[in-house]
Amino acid sequence: SDACNEATEHSGFHWLPDPTQRFWPDAPDHITMEYFHNSLEWLLENVSYEINGQAHFLYDFNWPYKGYPGGKLIPPWWSGLTDAHAITLLLRGYDCFSDQRYLSLAADLYKSSVTPIDKGGSLTSWDGHPWIEEYVDPRVPSSDLSRVWNGMAYSYFGIKAYEEFIGQERISSELFDSMAEHVEKYDLGVWSYYDAIGSRANIKYHLINWALIKDDRLG
């Protein structure tokens, strides 16, 4: 649409291209406005506020994960990546459709993403630096969480986009500094770790790690 074209040309961080998109083969080759709109409406219909009133897209199934109690996450669990990264889609949706509901949900997801885990959000601390956790299972102490590198990066993009959109920096620079402080912990020399609890990245996620580190949005 003309509104989207104009927004893409003149808006900011939330319209920057994602160079890691090529590593997600399930993404459609061409996204129509109808597909885009339906995706936005799906977010509105499926957000939950049942965890301390915080906005989440809750997962209602077990997810195997070595290092978590019983080797899996159990429902309801949530993802800081999912919640924060959805902000980018919602900001684009607001630009294109001028629907206040999209902006309101973006604000709710921002709030939950930067709320501490013990209060129902996705934010934890690592060596005194803030970190948004991708795999949040309330049973797991913050010190034992996985701290997935790509999860933090995609979360940062959503937080940065929202703070730029509202014209008020709050925590995005601290999140960036946290990634810079800890990136070496994912370095295996010729390969990379997927997380901070010893899981090696498979080839897909190794390439994603590489692409994210080179991403202009982290420059």
Side-chain angles (χ1 to χ4, degrees), residues 62-82:
N62 292 331
W63 184 254
Y65 204 117
K66 183 179 179 180
Y68 278 56
K72 62 185 176 183
L73 293 95
I74 62 171
W77 59 276
W78 62 91
S79 168
L81 181 161
T82 302

Side-chain angles (χ1 to χ4, degrees), residues 15 18 26 29 76 83 100 110 147 149 166 175 217:
W15 281 104
D18 178 3
D26 294 334
D29 294 330
D83 296 338
Q100 185 65 39
Y110 172 86
R147 299 189 177 94
W149 170 256
I166 65 172
L175 294 173
R217 293 173 296 173

